[in-house]
Amino acid sequence: MAQDEPRKHPVDEVLPVTRLAVYGFQHLLAFYAGAVVVPILVAGAIGLSDEQLVYLINADLFTCGIATIIQSWGFWRIGIRLPIVQGVTFTAVAPMIAIGQGAENGTAALLAIYGGTITAGIATFLAAPLLGRLVRFFPPVVTGTVLTVMGVVLLPNALTDAAGGAEAKTVTKDFGSWKHLLYAGGTLLFILLLHRLRRPFLSSIAVLLGLVGGTLVSYLLGDTRFDQVGRSDWFGVTTPFHYGAPTFHIGAIVAMMLVMLVTVVETVGDAKATGEIVGRRVTDDDITRALRADGLSTFLGGALNAFPYTCFAQNVGLIRLTGVRSRFVVVAAGILMMVLGLFPKAAAYVASIPSDVLGGAAVAMFGMVAVVGIQTLAKADLRDERNALVVAVSVGVALLPATVPAFGENMPRDVAAILNSGITLGSLTAIVLNLVFNVLTRRSPQNSGEARTTETAPAA
């Protein structure tokens, strides 16, 4: 009697086209806000025009689709072949803003960002077999410090937007007015109310709904216009190196390398979490293929006028919520992203979001980055003075550029680019101090679970 053929794993199951489309669209909704917010934040901080922002959003969505297909479908030894959505990493926002603010103009800023992104992508791809093993050098005390610093450094940008942004400072001259603060506060309140409803799917798109709701109210009250929509084309294709040849500066390269080191930890965690959810063991070889996909996608991001890419955690949560484990659902989501990235008019609506509305949402988003960092630090044994010093000194150093704006101005340009980035300074400090205190010594209590108990029982 012939044995039955082995049953296909749910991860590799190809669902009917209708279900692929519906489930894929759901992943697109959960992913969309996080994808479009990054180019909006970066464009506003480095002074890009509305036209440039529209192009960035389209390029980002299109490249997100390619990156997602690479990771979930996979080819050769690239891609983990699990239902993982790839999106632009939020970790890169602060470093990219720091790079851009040190450039002559918006276009020069983008070219420097792309040069660093391309270099970091190539390095990640080539070093993928080693990076998974280097995760041990990034324990919770390091990753938690980096994430906390990012949130703290980004919050002033969010508050500036909430007060009206650059336009309110230079054009309308109503920076910090009640009107701007009410729009920002209303948007933030709406996002909080959506989370208070405790509906998982609503929570996953709360930021998107908050941005849409705040913009709609601003439009109805006559404070927002959609002129850019009328000037935008219906159809547009992202072309490589649209703004010219990328430039390579040591400061930008170091900053983006640090971003990719943090995303390595992020990717490893999300990959293992996804493996547990779908019931497939994630091996070291799987991690290597996932990191190669990150590197390739990040390289493509720099070439296609987009950004560094990593696994999107919110979509991992959506898989747990829906119970749909097929990776081809995520492939369908990737195709939808690419299609959406071909319509500049849709991106023009997103680009019309007012600064104050965006600032209100960004307060929640950037604050959550800091909270995630604090949660990660909770896994570290901060009673150990070495870990406590890693956090304390790193946060202090990270605040130096913000509190002393002239710091590094008499240094060479590339050195100044590093010294004027709180994220880069704080991250490098955390990595070096952890190596000195925890790695290059025999005592290594990296987190509370690993810390040795040294207390002795009281004498009888």
Side-chain angles (χ1 to χ4, degrees), residues 126-214:
L126 296 177
L130 299 175
L131 287 174
R133 282 173 277 182
L134 291 178
V135 171
R136 66 189 182 91
F137 295 115
F138 296 87
V141 70
V142 173
T143 55
T145 300
V146 171
L147 290 170
T148 302
V149 164
M150 286 179 178
V152 171
V153 170
L154 281 170
L155 274 172
N157 288 303
L159 296 173
T160 298
D161 280 338
E167 184 178 358
K169 281 184 176 181
T170 59
V171 181
T172 60
K173 304 293 184 180
D174 60 350
F175 185 77
S177 68
W178 280 107
K179 179 182 72 173
H180 293 307
L181 296 178
L182 285 173
Y183 279 132
T187 301
L188 179 58
L189 179 61
F190 185 56
I191 292 171
L192 294 175
L193 287 174
L194 289 176
H195 279 278
R196 180 65 181 82
L197 293 175
R198 298 180 183 275
R199 298 289 189 272
F201 183 65
L202 275 181
S203 296
S204 70
I205 61 172
V207 171
L208 175 61
L209 294 178
L211 292 172
V212 171

Side-chain angles (χ1 to χ4, degrees), residues 90 147 151-152 154-155 158 361-374:
F90 210 76
L147 290 170
V152 171
L154 281 170
L155 274 172
V363 167
M365 290 186 294
F366 294 164
M368 284 301 293
V369 174
V371 169
V372 171
I374 294 170

Side-chain angles (χ1 to χ4, degrees), residues 128-406:
L130 299 175
L131 287 174
R133 282 173 277 182
L134 291 178
V135 171
R136 66 189 182 91
F137 295 115
F138 296 87
V141 70
V142 173
T143 55
T145 300
V146 171
L147 290 170
T148 302
V149 164
M150 286 179 178
V152 171
V153 170
L154 281 170
L155 274 172
N157 288 303
L159 296 173
T160 298
D161 280 338
E167 184 178 358
K169 281 184 176 181
T170 59
V171 181
T172 60
K173 304 293 184 180
D174 60 350
F175 185 77
S177 68
W178 280 107
K179 179 182 72 173
H180 293 307
L181 296 178
L182 285 173
Y183 279 132
T187 301
L188 179 58
L189 179 61
F190 185 56
I191 292 171
L192 294 175
L193 287 174
L194 289 176
H195 279 278
R196 180 65 181 82
L197 293 175
R198 298 180 183 275
R199 298 289 189 272
F201 183 65
L202 275 181
S203 296
S204 70
I205 61 172
V207 171
L208 175 61
L209 294 178
L211 292 172
V212 171
T215 302
L216 180 60
V217 171
S218 181
Y219 172 73
L220 293 176
L221 294 178
D223 291 319
T224 294
R225 302 177 65 181
F226 295 102
D227 296 343
Q228 183 62 40
V229 177
R231 295 194 295 268
S232 299
D233 296 328
W234 281 102
F235 183 82
V237 179
T238 298
T239 55
F241 306 114
H242 175 76
Y243 294 103
T247 57
F248 299 90
H249 304 290
I250 186 64
I253 291 172
V254 170
M256 301 314 271
M257 288 285 198
L258 288 171
V259 167
M260 293 309 294
L261 286 175
V262 175
T263 61
V264 166
V265 180
E266 197 175 334
T267 295
V268 171
D270 287 341
K272 290 186 175 180
T274 304
E276 290 179 7
I277 292 171
V278 302
R280 174 171 281 181
R281 180 172 173 268
V282 174
T283 65
D284 289 345
D285 185 59
D286 291 326
I287 295 297
T288 297
R289 287 190 279 110
L291 294 177
R292 282 199 188 103
D294 277 3
L296 177 59
S297 300
T298 297
F299 168 79
L300 291 175
L304 294 176
N305 322 290
F307 307 105
Y309 290 93
T310 188
C311 304
F312 249 37
Q314 52 263 58
N315 290 86
V316 175
L318 185 59
I319 296 169
R320 182 186 293 276
L321 175 66
T322 63
V324 179
R325 294 183 281 176
S326 171
R327 61 190 171 101
F328 294 102
V329 167
V330 171
V331 172
I335 294 172
L336 291 174
M337 294 173 203
M338 293 179 66
V339 171
L340 190 60
L342 297 175
F343 297 99
K345 279 195 182 296
Y349 278 106
V350 177
S352 300
I353 295 173
S355 294
D356 42 24
V357 171
L358 179 63
V363 167
M365 290 186 294
F366 294 164
M368 284 301 293
V369 174
V371 169
V372 171
I374 294 170
Q375 289 175 332
T376 305
L377 284 174
K379 301 174 184 177
D381 181 14
L382 296 183
R383 293 171 299 179
D384 186 307
E385 71 281 358
R386 295 168 300 163
N387 284 340
L389 279 171
V390 170
V391 180
V393 175
S394 299
V395 172
V397 170
L399 292 176
L400 184 58
T403 54
V404 187

